[in-house]
């Protein structure tokens, strides 16, 4: 049986001006590329945009190309609109005692936690991602009732302030309570596989959902796994999961994908995913990158502690932006927003200065 073909946009250019027919626009955003890396059967070759005609005779290649270049529709969530034609920041607000980086910082006082979330929104975050259970390796499972008690008072306050909220949970009951409290998006590290009711809840609510890759979502997501090629294996897993979720009643246009940096991957596998991130545009969904303060930064910088990984977090965020990631899930909001705004200024100048 023939190995499935994959396309990764490569050879990004500063501007499309004067290059009609030579470059393609990435997902309706601010990036253009001049070629594809074609991955098939373990072999890789480069095909310029100017020589696509033969490649696009292949039905899978044509479908991938259409998805890679199609604009991502904005999401209208109440009075808020989340756009994907430029990168945005999703702020991490953990109301847990034991998260790997900020455990205990915002727990115990819903008003204080909500105030911190509002400050993150004021600093430029498009979404506040509220979580009530740590997903670090070895963290205990939190009883559903306790998780609801942690997150709902915070979400209610944020929603009343007009802030767009996502709920970071894998439990259907928590999803229901959070959505009822005013959350607009479900962010599930288990891709709606940990809880048998999760897919039903999201489909019934009609809300957007983030599907994250991990090799063993039903048991926590951090187990070891052997990849033949981590880039294409994760792509194919997410593609299959998208199909299953769509079959379960979720609109494909309301799905966001996350390659799951740090979940069941080695350092080299995480680096390969980041270097090849643009391949995931072939899924036809917005990409969320969650690499903030991750263990890989410490591994590359003398075992820096989680709260001393700002530089590495910014570097990975900009790596994601340069690959067209539409959402960056981060702890350090003001610093990341500033970095993205400077990147945006550079892009704007490149697009008009000729």
């Amino acid at each position: 049986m023939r190995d499935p073909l994959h396309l990764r946009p490569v050879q990004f250019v500063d501007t499309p001006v004067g290059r009609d027919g030579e470059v393609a626009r990435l997902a309706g955003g601010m990036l253009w590329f001049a070629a594809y890396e074609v991955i098939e059967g373990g072999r890789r070759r480069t095909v310029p945009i100017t020589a696509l005609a033969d490649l696009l005779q292949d039905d899978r290649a044509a479908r991938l190309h259409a998805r890679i270049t199609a604009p991502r529709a904005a999401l209208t969530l109440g009075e808020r609109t989340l756009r994907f034609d430029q990168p945005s920041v999703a702020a991490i607000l953990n109301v847990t005692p034991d998260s790997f980086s900020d455990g205990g910082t915002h727990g115990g006082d819903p008003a204080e936690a909500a105030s911190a979330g509002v400050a993150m929104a004021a600093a430029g975050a498009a979404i506040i991602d509220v979580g009530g259970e740590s997903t670090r390796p070895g963290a205990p499972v939190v009883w559903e009732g306790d998780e609801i008690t942690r997150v709902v008072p915070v979400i209610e306050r944020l929603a009343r302030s007009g802030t767009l909220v996502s709920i970071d949970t894998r439990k259907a009951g928590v999803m229901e309570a959070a959505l009822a409290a005013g959350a607009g998006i479900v962010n599930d590290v288990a891709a709606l596989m940990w809880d048998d009711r999760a897919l039903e809840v999201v489909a019934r609510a009609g809300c957007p959902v983030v599907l994250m890759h991990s090799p063993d979502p039903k048991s926590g997501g951090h187990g070891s796994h052997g990849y033949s090629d981590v880039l294409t294996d994760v792509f194919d897993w997410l593609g299959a999961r998208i199909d299953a979720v769509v079959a379960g009643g979720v609109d494909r246009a309301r799905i966001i994908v996350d390659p799951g940096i740090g979940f069941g991957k080695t350092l080299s596998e995480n680096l390969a995913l980041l270097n090849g991130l643009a391949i995931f545009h072939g899924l036809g969904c917005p990409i969320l990158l969650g690499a903030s303060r991750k263990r890989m930064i410490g591994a590359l910088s003398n075992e820096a502690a989680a709260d001393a990984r700002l530089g590495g977090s910014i570097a990975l965020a900009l790596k994601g932006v340069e690959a067209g990631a539409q959402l960056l899930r981060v702890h350090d909001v003001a610093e990341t927003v500033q970095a993205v705004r400077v990147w945006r200024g550079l892009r704007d100048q490149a697009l008009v200065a000729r």
Side-chain angles (χ1 to χ4, degrees), residues 200-244:
E200 173 193 342
V201 168
V202 169
R204 186 172 64 248
C207 64
V209 60
V210 180
L211 304 178
M212 193 198 81
H213 170 273
S214 71
D216 57 347
K218 276 194 167 289
S219 58
H222 288 287
S224 61
H225 184 76
Y227 300 97
S228 57
D229 181 323
V230 68
L231 197 58
T232 56
D233 286 358
V234 172
F235 180 99
D236 293 343
W237 189 97
L238 283 169
R241 192 63 197 140
I242 290 168
D243 290 344

Side-chain angles (χ1 to χ4, degrees), residues 297-339:
I297 300 171
L300 294 169
S301 58
N302 298 316
E303 302 302 330
D307 61 358
R309 297 174 183 170
L310 174 60
S313 296
I314 296 294
L316 295 181
L318 290 178
K319 180 70 173 178
V321 167
E322 289 286 347
Q326 289 92 350
L327 285 171
L328 304 170
R329 182 177 181 271
V330 306
H331 298 85
D332 302 292
V333 174
E335 296 86 349
T336 308
V337 168
Q338 184 180 83

